[in-house]
Amino acid sequence: LFNGFWIAYVGLPSLAVTLAGLIGFRGVARILLEDRAIGGFPEWFNTLGQQPIAGPLTLSLIIFFVLFAIFAVVLHASAFGRLVYVIGNNAEAARYSGVKVRRIKMALFVITGVISALAGLLYAARLGSVRGDMAEGFELDIITIVLLGGVSIFGGSGNLLGVGLSILIILNLRNGMGLANITGNTQTSVIGGLLILSVLVPNLTEMVLNKWKGRKA
């Protein structure tokens, strides 16, 4: 809600506000917890992230698949999803067409915040304790997954199928490097390189296609 206000109603860039919020809230967590870890959660809470619910599936995986299916339907087969794409393509045109751009942007950031909070709770349940620096560096993986999955950083394009496949690629890449005893810093470098490629390749492809169309014309 806090981030959505500055983006939807004040008009600040979403990427800048999101990163500033990340740094700010992480700083507050470190001030409150310092170098300490807090654990001792109830057994039922730890069970949510550690014990299989159905065969190899934990509650986290079940929630992921359910939410993935729900948001796939909402994004690709509902009026709200179509409005999200319209706003991503051209927010001004959407506004002049009568779309409540600010309200939809605010709703998107509130939904994102709720899902992020849920992910944080499940992550805490999986580890059994929390620290102020939990999930540090995860943002690099997330941004890489999104861009590698075909989502435009400027909005208006992308689909959940591509993001789902990208999740599998990054997870398998991380697991493979871990099994090969590759250090965390090297893993981060590899993911960073993949992030650069995920931005560079689409731009180069579009440039080549534009030149080819120009010659053909």
Coordinates of all heavy atoms in Angstrom, one line a residue, residues 22-89:
L22 N 12.7 -1.8 -0.5 CA 13.4 -2.9 -0.1 C 14.6 -2.6 0.8 O 14.7 -3.2 1.9 CB 14.0 -3.6 -1.4 CG 15.1 -4.7 -1.1 CD1 14.5 -5.9 -0.4 CD2 15.7 -5.1 -2.5
I23 N 15.3 -1.5 0.5 CA 16.5 -1.1 1.3 C 16.0 -0.6 2.6 O 16.5 -0.8 3.7 CB 17.3 0.0 0.5 CG1 17.9 -0.6 -0.7 CG2 18.3 0.6 1.4 CD1 18.5 0.4 -1.7
G24 N 14.9 0.2 2.6 CA 14.4 0.8 3.8 C 13.8 -0.2 4.8 O 14.2 -0.2 6.0
F25 N 13.0 -1.1 4.3 CA 12.4 -2.1 5.2 C 13.5 -3.1 5.7 O 13.4 -3.5 6.9 CB 11.3 -2.8 4.6 CG 10.0 -2.0 4.4 CD1 9.5 -1.8 3.1 CD2 9.4 -1.4 5.5 CE1 8.4 -1.0 2.9 CE2 8.3 -0.6 5.3 CZ 7.8 -0.4 4.0
R26 N 14.4 -3.4 4.9 CA 15.5 -4.3 5.3 C 16.3 -3.6 6.4 O 16.8 -4.2 7.4 CB 16.4 -4.7 4.1 CG 17.5 -5.6 4.5 CD 18.2 -6.1 3.2 NE 17.4 -7.1 2.5 CZ 17.6 -7.4 1.3 NH1 18.6 -6.9 0.6 NH2 16.8 -8.3 0.7
G27 N 16.5 -2.3 6.2 CA 17.3 -1.5 7.2 C 16.5 -1.5 8.6 O 17.2 -1.7 9.6
V28 N 15.2 -1.4 8.5 CA 14.4 -1.4 9.8 C 14.5 -2.7 10.5 O 14.7 -2.8 11.7 CB 13.0 -1.1 9.5 CG1 12.1 -1.3 10.7 CG2 12.8 0.4 9.0
A29 N 14.5 -3.8 9.6 CA 14.6 -5.2 10.2 C 16.0 -5.4 10.9 O 16.0 -6.0 12.0 CB 14.4 -6.2 9.1
R30 N 17.0 -4.8 10.3 CA 18.3 -5.0 10.9 C 18.5 -4.1 12.2 O 19.1 -4.5 13.1 CB 19.4 -4.6 9.9 CG 19.6 -5.6 8.8 CD 20.8 -5.3 8.0 NE 21.1 -6.4 7.1 CZ 22.1 -6.5 6.2 NH1 23.0 -5.4 6.2 NH2 22.3 -7.5 5.4
I31 N 17.8 -3.0 12.2 CA 17.9 -2.1 13.4 C 17.1 -2.9 14.6 O 17.6 -2.9 15.7 CB 17.2 -0.8 13.1 CG1 18.1 0.1 12.2 CG2 17.0 0.0 14.4 CD1 17.5 1.3 11.7
L32 N 16.0 -3.5 14.2 CA 15.2 -4.1 15.3 C 15.9 -5.4 15.8 O 15.8 -5.7 17.0 CB 13.8 -4.5 14.7 CG 12.9 -3.3 14.4 CD1 11.6 -3.7 13.8 CD2 12.6 -2.5 15.7
L33 N 16.5 -6.2 14.8 CA 17.0 -7.5 15.2 C 18.5 -7.5 15.4 O 19.1 -8.4 16.0 CB 16.7 -8.5 14.2 CG 15.2 -8.9 14.0 CD1 15.0 -9.9 12.9 CD2 14.6 -9.4 15.3
E34 N 19.2 -6.4 14.9 CA 20.6 -6.4 14.9 C 21.2 -7.6 14.3 O 20.9 -8.0 13.2 CB 21.1 -6.1 16.3 CG 20.7 -4.8 16.9 CD 21.1 -4.5 18.3 OE1 21.5 -5.5 19.0 OE2 21.0 -3.4 18.7
D35 N 22.1 -8.3 15.1 CA 22.7 -9.6 14.5 C 22.0 -10.8 15.1 O 22.5 -11.9 14.9 CB 24.2 -9.6 14.9 CG 25.0 -9.7 13.6 OD1 24.5 -9.8 12.5 OD2 26.3 -9.7 13.7
R36 N 20.9 -10.6 15.7 CA 20.3 -11.8 16.4 C 19.3 -12.5 15.5 O 18.8 -12.0 14.5 CB 19.4 -11.3 17.6 CG 20.3 -10.6 18.7 CD 19.4 -10.1 19.8 NE 18.7 -8.9 19.4 CZ 17.4 -8.8 19.4 NH1 16.7 -9.8 19.7 NH2 16.9 -7.6 19.0
A37 N 19.1 -13.8 15.8 CA 18.1 -14.6 15.1 C 17.0 -14.9 16.1 O 17.2 -15.1 17.3 CB 18.7 -15.9 14.6
I38 N 15.8 -14.8 15.6 CA 14.6 -15.1 16.4 C 14.0 -16.4 16.0 O 13.6 -16.5 14.8 CB 13.6 -14.0 16.4 CG1 14.2 -12.7 17.0 CG2 12.3 -14.3 17.1 CD1 13.3 -11.5 17.0
G39 N 13.8 -17.3 16.9 CA 13.2 -18.6 16.6 C 12.2 -19.0 17.6 O 11.5 -18.1 18.2
G40 N 12.1 -20.3 17.9 CA 11.2 -20.7 18.9 C 9.7 -20.6 18.5 O 8.8 -20.4 19.3
F41 N 9.5 -20.8 17.2 CA 8.1 -20.7 16.7 C 7.3 -21.9 17.2 O 7.9 -23.0 17.4 CB 8.0 -20.6 15.2 CG 8.8 -19.4 14.6 CD1 9.6 -19.5 13.5 CD2 8.6 -18.1 15.2 CE1 10.3 -18.4 13.0 CE2 9.3 -17.0 14.7 CZ 10.1 -17.2 13.6
P42 N 6.0 -21.8 17.2 CA 5.2 -23.0 17.5 C 5.4 -24.1 16.5 O 5.7 -23.9 15.4 CB 3.7 -22.5 17.4 CG 3.8 -21.0 17.6 CD 5.2 -20.6 17.0
E43 N 5.3 -25.3 17.0 CA 5.6 -26.5 16.2 C 4.7 -26.5 14.9 O 5.1 -26.9 13.8 CB 5.4 -27.8 17.0 CG 5.8 -29.0 16.2 CD 7.3 -29.0 15.9 OE1 8.1 -28.4 16.7 OE2 7.6 -29.6 14.9
W44 N 3.4 -26.1 15.1 CA 2.5 -26.1 13.9 C 3.0 -25.2 12.8 O 2.8 -25.4 11.6 CB 1.1 -25.8 14.3 CG 0.9 -24.4 14.9 CD1 0.9 -24.0 16.2 CD2 0.7 -23.2 14.1 NE1 0.8 -22.6 16.3 CE2 0.6 -22.1 15.0 CE3 0.6 -22.9 12.7 CZ2 0.4 -20.8 14.6 CZ3 0.4 -21.6 12.3 CH2 0.3 -20.6 13.2
F45 N 3.6 -24.1 13.3 CA 4.1 -23.1 12.3 C 5.3 -23.6 11.5 O 5.4 -23.5 10.3 CB 4.5 -21.8 13.0 CG 5.0 -20.7 12.1 CD1 4.1 -20.0 11.3 CD2 6.3 -20.4 12.0 CE1 4.6 -19.0 10.4 CE2 6.8 -19.5 11.1 CZ 5.9 -18.7 10.3
N46 N 6.2 -24.3 12.2 CA 7.4 -24.9 11.5 C 7.0 -26.0 10.6 O 7.6 -26.2 9.6 CB 8.4 -25.4 12.6 CG 9.1 -24.3 13.4 OD1 9.2 -23.2 12.9 ND2 9.4 -24.6 14.6
T47 N 5.9 -26.7 11.0 CA 5.4 -27.8 10.2 C 5.0 -27.3 8.8 O 5.1 -28.0 7.8 CB 4.3 -28.5 10.9 OG1 4.7 -29.0 12.1 CG2 3.8 -29.7 10.0
L48 N 4.5 -26.1 8.7 CA 4.0 -25.5 7.5 C 5.0 -25.5 6.4 O 4.8 -25.7 5.2 CB 3.4 -24.1 7.7 CG 2.2 -23.9 8.6 CD1 1.9 -22.5 8.7 CD2 1.0 -24.7 8.1
G49 N 6.3 -25.3 6.8 CA 7.3 -25.1 5.8 C 8.3 -26.3 5.7 O 9.1 -26.4 4.9
Q50 N 8.1 -27.3 6.7 CA 9.1 -28.4 6.7 C 8.6 -29.8 6.5 O 9.3 -30.6 6.0 CB 9.8 -28.3 8.1 CG 10.5 -27.0 8.4 CD 11.0 -26.9 9.8 OE1 11.0 -27.9 10.6 NE2 11.5 -25.8 10.2
Q51 N 7.3 -30.0 6.8 CA 6.7 -31.3 6.6 C 5.9 -31.5 5.3 O 5.2 -30.6 5.0 CB 5.8 -31.6 7.8 CG 6.5 -31.6 9.2 CD 7.6 -32.7 9.3 OE1 7.4 -33.8 8.7 NE2 8.7 -32.4 9.9
P52 N 6.1 -32.6 4.6 CA 5.3 -32.9 3.4 C 3.8 -33.0 3.8 O 3.5 -33.5 4.8 CB 5.8 -34.2 2.9 CG 7.2 -34.3 3.5 CD 7.1 -33.7 4.9
I53 N 3.0 -32.4 2.9 CA 1.5 -32.4 3.1 C 0.9 -33.6 2.3 O 0.1 -34.3 2.8 CB 0.9 -31.1 2.7 CG1 1.5 -30.0 3.5 CG2 -0.6 -31.1 2.9 CD1 1.3 -30.0 5.0
A54 N 1.3 -33.6 1.0 CA 0.8 -34.7 0.1 C 2.0 -35.3 -0.6 O 2.4 -34.7 -1.6 CB -0.2 -34.1 -0.8
G55 N 2.5 -36.4 -0.2 CA 3.7 -37.0 -0.9 C 4.9 -36.1 -0.7 O 5.2 -35.6 0.4
P56 N 5.5 -35.7 -1.8 CA 6.7 -34.8 -1.8 C 6.3 -33.4 -1.7 O 7.2 -32.5 -1.6 CB 7.4 -35.1 -3.1 CG 6.3 -35.5 -4.0 CD 5.3 -36.2 -3.2
L57 N 5.0 -33.0 -1.7 CA 4.6 -31.6 -1.8 C 4.5 -31.1 -0.4 O 3.8 -31.7 0.5 CB 3.3 -31.5 -2.5 CG 3.2 -31.8 -4.0 CD1 1.8 -31.7 -4.5 CD2 4.2 -30.9 -4.7
T58 N 5.1 -29.9 -0.1 CA 5.0 -29.2 1.1 C 3.8 -28.2 0.9 O 3.4 -27.9 -0.2 CB 6.2 -28.5 1.5 OG1 6.6 -27.5 0.5 CG2 7.4 -29.4 1.7
L59 N 3.4 -27.6 2.0 CA 2.4 -26.5 1.9 C 2.8 -25.4 1.0 O 2.0 -24.8 0.3 CB 2.0 -26.0 3.3 CG 1.0 -24.9 3.4 CD1 -0.4 -25.5 2.9 CD2 0.8 -24.4 4.8
S60 N 4.1 -25.0 1.0 CA 4.6 -24.0 0.2 C 4.4 -24.2 -1.3 O 4.0 -23.4 -2.1 CB 6.1 -23.7 0.5 OG 6.3 -23.4 1.8
L61 N 4.7 -25.5 -1.7 CA 4.5 -25.9 -3.1 C 3.1 -25.9 -3.5 O 2.7 -25.5 -4.6 CB 5.2 -27.2 -3.4 CG 6.7 -27.2 -3.5 CD1 7.2 -28.6 -3.6 CD2 7.2 -26.4 -4.6
I62 N 2.2 -26.4 -2.6 CA 0.8 -26.5 -2.9 C 0.2 -25.0 -3.1 O -0.5 -24.8 -4.1 CB 0.0 -27.2 -1.8 CG1 0.4 -28.7 -1.8 CG2 -1.5 -27.1 -2.0 CD1 -0.1 -29.4 -0.6
I63 N 0.6 -24.1 -2.2 CA 0.2 -22.7 -2.3 C 0.7 -22.1 -3.6 O 0.0 -21.4 -4.3 CB 0.6 -21.9 -1.1 CG1 -0.1 -22.4 0.2 CG2 0.4 -20.4 -1.3 CD1 0.3 -21.7 1.4
F64 N 2.0 -22.4 -3.9 CA 2.5 -21.9 -5.2 C 1.7 -22.3 -6.4 O 1.4 -21.5 -7.2 CB 4.0 -22.3 -5.3 CG 4.6 -22.0 -6.7 CD1 5.0 -20.7 -7.0 CD2 4.7 -23.0 -7.6 CE1 5.5 -20.4 -8.2 CE2 5.2 -22.7 -8.9 CZ 5.6 -21.4 -9.2
F65 N 1.4 -23.6 -6.5 CA 0.7 -24.1 -7.7 C -0.7 -23.5 -7.8 O -1.2 -23.2 -8.8 CB 0.7 -25.6 -7.7 CG 2.0 -26.2 -8.0 CD1 2.6 -27.2 -7.1 CD2 2.7 -25.9 -9.2 CE1 3.8 -27.7 -7.4 CE2 4.0 -26.5 -9.5 CZ 4.5 -27.4 -8.6
V66 N -1.3 -23.4 -6.6 CA -2.7 -22.9 -6.6 C -2.7 -21.5 -7.0 O -3.5 -21.0 -7.8 CB -3.3 -23.1 -5.2 CG1 -4.7 -22.3 -5.1 CG2 -3.6 -24.6 -4.9
L67 N -1.8 -20.7 -6.4 CA -1.8 -19.2 -6.8 C -1.3 -19.0 -8.2 O -1.8 -18.1 -8.9 CB -0.8 -18.5 -5.8 CG -1.3 -18.3 -4.4 CD1 -0.3 -17.6 -3.5 CD2 -2.6 -17.6 -4.3
F68 N -0.4 -19.9 -8.7 CA 0.0 -19.8 -10.1 C -1.1 -20.0 -11.0 O -1.3 -19.2 -12.0 CB 1.1 -20.8 -10.3 CG 1.8 -20.6 -11.7 CD1 3.0 -19.9 -11.7 CD2 1.4 -21.2 -12.8 CE1 3.6 -19.7 -12.9 CE2 2.0 -21.0 -14.0 CZ 3.1 -20.3 -14.1
A69 N -2.0 -21.0 -10.7 CA -3.1 -21.2 -11.6 C -4.2 -20.1 -11.5 O -4.7 -19.7 -12.5 CB -3.8 -22.6 -11.2
I70 N -4.4 -19.6 -10.3 CA -5.4 -18.5 -10.1 C -4.9 -17.2 -10.9 O -5.7 -16.6 -11.6 CB -5.5 -18.2 -8.6 CG1 -6.3 -19.3 -7.9 CG2 -6.3 -16.9 -8.4 CD1 -6.4 -19.2 -6.4
F71 N -3.7 -16.9 -10.7 CA -3.2 -15.6 -11.4 C -3.0 -15.8 -12.9 O -3.1 -14.8 -13.6 CB -1.9 -15.2 -10.7 CG -2.1 -14.5 -9.4 CD1 -1.7 -15.1 -8.2 CD2 -2.7 -13.3 -9.3 CE1 -1.9 -14.5 -7.0 CE2 -2.9 -12.6 -8.1 CZ -2.5 -13.2 -7.0
A72 N -2.8 -17.0 -13.3 CA -2.8 -17.3 -14.8 C -4.1 -17.0 -15.4 O -4.3 -16.4 -16.4 CB -2.3 -18.7 -15.1
V73 N -5.2 -17.5 -14.7 CA -6.5 -17.2 -15.2 C -6.9 -15.7 -15.1 O -7.4 -15.1 -16.1 CB -7.6 -18.0 -14.3 CG1 -9.0 -17.6 -14.7 CG2 -7.4 -19.5 -14.6
V74 N -6.5 -15.1 -14.0 CA -6.8 -13.7 -13.8 C -6.1 -12.8 -14.9 O -6.7 -11.9 -15.5 CB -6.4 -13.2 -12.4 CG1 -6.5 -11.7 -12.3 CG2 -7.3 -13.8 -11.4
L75 N -4.8 -13.1 -15.1 CA -4.0 -12.3 -16.0 C -4.4 -12.5 -17.5 O -4.4 -11.6 -18.3 CB -2.5 -12.6 -15.8 CG -1.5 -11.8 -16.6 CD1 -1.6 -10.3 -16.2 CD2 -0.1 -12.3 -16.3
H76 N -4.7 -13.8 -17.8 CA -4.9 -14.1 -19.3 C -6.3 -14.3 -19.7 O -6.6 -14.5 -20.9 CB -4.1 -15.3 -19.6 CG -2.6 -15.2 -19.4 ND1 -1.8 -14.2 -20.0 CD2 -1.7 -15.8 -18.5 CE1 -0.6 -14.3 -19.6 NE2 -0.5 -15.3 -18.7
A77 N -7.2 -14.4 -18.7 CA -8.6 -14.7 -19.1 C -9.6 -13.9 -18.3 O -10.7 -14.3 -18.1 CB -8.9 -16.2 -18.9
S78 N -9.3 -12.6 -17.9 CA -10.2 -11.8 -17.2 C -10.1 -10.4 -17.7 O -9.1 -10.0 -18.3 CB -10.0 -11.9 -15.7 OG -8.8 -11.2 -15.3
A79 N -11.1 -9.6 -17.4 CA -11.1 -8.2 -17.8 C -10.0 -7.4 -17.0 O -9.3 -6.5 -17.6 CB -12.5 -7.5 -17.5
F80 N -9.8 -7.8 -15.8 CA -8.7 -7.1 -15.0 C -7.4 -7.4 -15.6 O -6.5 -6.5 -15.7 CB -8.8 -7.7 -13.5 CG -7.7 -7.0 -12.6 CD1 -8.0 -5.8 -12.1 CD2 -6.5 -7.7 -12.4 CE1 -7.0 -5.2 -11.2 CE2 -5.6 -7.1 -11.6 CZ -5.8 -5.9 -11.0
G81 N -7.1 -8.6 -16.0 CA -5.8 -8.9 -16.7 C -5.6 -8.1 -18.0 O -4.5 -7.7 -18.2
R82 N -6.7 -8.0 -18.7 CA -6.6 -7.2 -20.0 C -6.2 -5.8 -19.7 O -5.5 -5.1 -20.4 CB -7.9 -7.3 -20.8 CG -8.0 -8.7 -21.5 CD -9.2 -8.7 -22.5 NE -10.5 -8.6 -21.8 CZ -11.2 -9.6 -21.4 NH1 -10.7 -10.8 -21.5 NH2 -12.3 -9.4 -20.8
L83 N -6.8 -5.2 -18.6 CA -6.5 -3.8 -18.2 C -5.1 -3.7 -17.8 O -4.5 -2.6 -18.0 CB -7.5 -3.4 -17.1 CG -9.0 -3.2 -17.5 CD1 -9.8 -2.8 -16.3 CD2 -9.1 -2.2 -18.6
V84 N -4.6 -4.7 -17.1 CA -3.2 -4.7 -16.7 C -2.2 -4.5 -17.9 O -1.3 -3.7 -17.9 CB -2.8 -5.9 -15.9 CG1 -1.3 -6.0 -15.6 CG2 -3.6 -5.9 -14.5
Y85 N -2.5 -5.3 -19.0 CA -1.7 -5.3 -20.2 C -1.9 -3.9 -20.9 O -0.9 -3.3 -21.4 CB -2.1 -6.4 -21.1 CG -1.5 -7.7 -20.8 CD1 -2.2 -8.7 -20.2 CD2 -0.2 -7.9 -21.2 CE1 -1.6 -10.0 -20.0 CE2 0.5 -9.2 -20.9 CZ -0.3 -10.2 -20.3 OH 0.3 -11.4 -20.1
V86 N -3.1 -3.4 -20.9 CA -3.4 -2.1 -21.5 C -2.6 -1.0 -20.8 O -1.9 -0.2 -21.5 CB -4.9 -1.8 -21.5 CG1 -5.1 -0.3 -21.9 CG2 -5.6 -2.7 -22.4
I87 N -2.6 -1.0 -19.5 CA -1.9 0.0 -18.7 C -0.4 -0.1 -19.0 O 0.4 0.9 -19.1 CB -2.2 -0.1 -17.2 CG1 -3.7 0.3 -17.0 CG2 -1.3 0.8 -16.4 CD1 -4.2 0.0 -15.6
G88 N 0.1 -1.4 -19.0 CA 1.5 -1.6 -19.3 C 2.0 -1.1 -20.6 O 3.1 -0.6 -20.8
N89 N 1.1 -1.2 -21.6 CA 1.5 -0.8 -23.0 C 1.4 0.7 -23.1 O 2.4 1.3 -23.6 CB 0.5 -1.4 -24.0 CG 0.8 -2.8 -24.4 OD1 2.0 -3.1 -24.6 ND2 -0.2 -3.7 -24.4

